[in-house]
Amino acid sequence: MVKIKLLVLCLSISIQSCKAQTSKINGVSFVASKEAIQAKHVEPVVNLNANFVAIMPFGFIKDLTSPTILFNTERQWFGETKAGAKQYVEKFQKEAIGVMLKPQIWVWRGEFTGLIEMKNENDWVDLEDSYSKFILTYAKLAQEMNVDIFCIGTELEKFTLNRPSYWLNLIQKIKQIYKGKLTYAANWDEYKRTLFLKNLDYIGVDAYFPVSQNETPSVDDCLENWKPYKVELEALSRVYNKSILFTEYGYRSVDFSGKEPWKSDTSMTQVNLEAQNNTTQALFKTFWEEDWFAGGFVWKWFHNHDSVGGITNTMFTPQNKPAEDLIRIQYRSE
């Protein structure tokens, strides 16, 4: 009888362990604001059934060839600084929501970070020194706050391809400081060329894959166009024996939302809530049940929930749109 009870207990523990391993990261990309956040700002994230947030402090570069990153300054918004990131992390951890700390670079005038590339060796060395100071500052904070995941960079393809030795050394330095899980947020057309995937815990992808040419994409249209990307992502996951994590995913509530999902062009002004819904639903159907897929962080979520988004808004946030309910249902199912 004792043996049977022990067997049942072991089986129960095994099942619970399996459930824990297969539970998805149901996350939001929480946008930094000018102010500290309060419980009222966290509550809508809890109500979404999210179990993770990405906290995103920022560093700034003057242009694509500048080697100097300015960060943690008094001129930045509170949420973009070290103190702000720490306060945000504390508030979400209090509600038992997991955290990915994801320091990011912003190039003035919004130029694409993947094109950051120095003109000479001296500038490359200066950029490396500046980036190390930036990222190691937040690696120390990640360790101090015991955050679950640390993202070592976001969409920096030219930088990573030109300076592979630097990135391998940087990862070693980060691991000496931070003992949690590591990822890198590669752009959708970059991840296959990322050279240090074996040194990370998750294969991070910003999932702005083109999935439909239609003004209002249908779910079936998107499902069909996801197939080749899904095959490639699964194969990469199997090769490295690491889960795929969508470090960002999401669609605008605008016509042709699945055609070039990375675009934030303000000239795209035709609201299309169905397009956002269908593209989002297709992404969930394609990936969320796969054992090699870890989950993802929807782009993007603002702290002032009651006054953002809405049915006349064409941008990425799902807040106060039908897509918010869609995400809430998906996240609840986990």
Side-chain angles (χ1 to χ4, degrees):
M1 186 68 176
V2 173
K3 288 184 178 180
I4 293 174
K5 287 183 177 179
L6 284 173
L7 180 62
V8 171
L9 177 60
C10 289
L11 180 60
S12 175
I13 292 172
S14 176
I15 291 171
Q16 292 302 317
S17 174
C18 180
K19 286 181 178 179
Q21 291 171 8
T22 57
S23 179
K24 298 299 185 216
I25 292 171
N26 295 325
V28 301
S29 299
F30 195 82
V31 180
S33 75
K34 296 179 181 179
E35 58 194 17
I37 61 168
Q38 308 301 329
K40 65 180 180 180
H41 303 125
V42 175
E43 185 178 358
V45 177
V46 174
N47 291 340
L48 190 72
N49 300 312
N51 57 16
F52 257 86
V53 293
I55 302 298
M56 301 173 291
F58 269 84
F60 296 87
I61 287 182
K62 183 178 180 180
D63 57 53
L64 294 172
T65 60
S66 173
T68 303
I69 301 169
L70 300 176
F71 69 97
N72 200 34
T73 72
E74 293 181 355
R75 297 179 63 185
Q76 291 180 250
W77 284 6
F78 176 72
E80 296 173 344
T81 66
K82 180 181 176 183
K86 181 177 181 179
Q87 195 265 339
Y88 285 19
V89 170
E90 288 173 338
K91 284 296 184 182
F92 281 105
Q93 287 181 334
K94 188 175 180 181
E95 298 299 326
I97 292 178
V99 174
M100 177 173 71
L101 190 59
K102 186 170 177 268
Q104 295 190 208
I105 300 297
W106 177 263
V107 185
W108 263 274
R109 296 182 297 276
E111 294 183 271
F112 178 46
T113 53
L115 300 178
I116 293 172
E117 189 170 24
M118 300 300 101
K119 294 181 177 179
N120 56 62
E121 179 64 18
N122 287 339
D123 283 351
W124 274 118
V125 172
D126 288 346
L127 176 63
E128 291 171 352
D129 180 62
S130 191
Y131 193 81
S132 291
K133 290 175 181 175
F134 170 64
I135 209 70
L136 294 177
T137 293
Y138 288 105
K140 291 173 184 175
L141 179 63
Q143 180 62 23
E144 175 190 342
M145 302 303 295
N146 194 32
V147 306
D148 305 88
I149 306 170
F150 184 65
C151 185
I152 68 170
T154 297
E155 298 178 5
L156 296 169
E157 182 173 12
K158 291 285 189 181
F159 189 1
T160 62
L161 291 180
N162 276 282
R163 310 299 283 187
S165 297
Y166 163 75
W167 281 88
L168 290 172
N169 290 333
L170 178 64
I171 290 169
Q172 290 306 310
K173 289 178 181 178
I174 292 170
K175 287 182 176 181
Q176 291 171 11
I177 296 169
Y178 171 71
K179 305 306 177 182
K181 303 293 187 183
L182 294 181
T183 191
Y184 166 79
N187 200 23
W188 72 274
D189 59 351
E190 171 194 358
Y191 72 93
K192 288 182 287 186
R193 296 186 294 278
T194 304
L195 302 175
F196 43 79
L197 294 179
K198 68 179 181 180
N199 302 94
L200 305 175
D201 297 290
Y202 294 105
I203 298 173
V205 181
D206 286 355
Y208 302 112
F209 297 83
V211 292
S212 175
Q213 298 291 314
N214 295 330
E215 181 177 296
T216 300
S218 70
V219 174
D220 287 342
D221 179 34
C222 295
L223 288 173
E224 184 63 29
N225 289 315
W226 263 119
K227 287 179 179 178
Y229 300 127
K230 183 179 181 181
V231 169
E232 292 174 351
L233 288 163
E234 181 176 5
L236 195 68
S237 172
R238 303 299 186 196
V239 166
Y240 286 98
N241 193 29
K242 298 177 189 296
S243 297
I244 302 294
L245 175 64
F246 282 174
T247 37
E248 294 175 20
Y249 77 87
Y251 303 91
R252 292 178 60 182
S253 48
V254 68
D255 284 349
F256 300 101
S257 63
K259 184 177 180 179
E260 296 173 307
W262 58 88
K263 278 193 170 182
S264 55
D265 188 344
T266 55
S267 68
M268 299 168 69
T269 59
Q270 187 60 49
V271 175
N272 193 328
L273 300 171
E274 185 181 358
Q276 184 181 44
N277 248 32
N278 290 351
T279 47
T280 303
Q281 185 176 349
L283 184 144
F284 286 150
K285 284 179 173 288
T286 300
F287 293 101
W288 242 253
E289 297 301 319
E290 298 297 336
D291 61 358
W292 48 268
F293 181 74
F297 297 83
V298 66
W299 186 265
K300 51 191 174 176
W301 193 273
F302 295 90
H303 78 296
N304 52 335
H305 179 69
D306 291 342
S307 59
V308 299
I311 59 173
T312 62
N313 178 271
T314 62
M315 300 309 287
F316 283 96
T317 181
Q319 289 168 276
N320 301 303
K321 302 175 185 178
E324 181 180 342
D325 290 329
L326 178 69
I327 295 168
R328 179 176 292 108
I329 292 169
Q330 178 64 43
Y331 282 8
R332 186 174 61 213
S333 68
E334 287 299 319

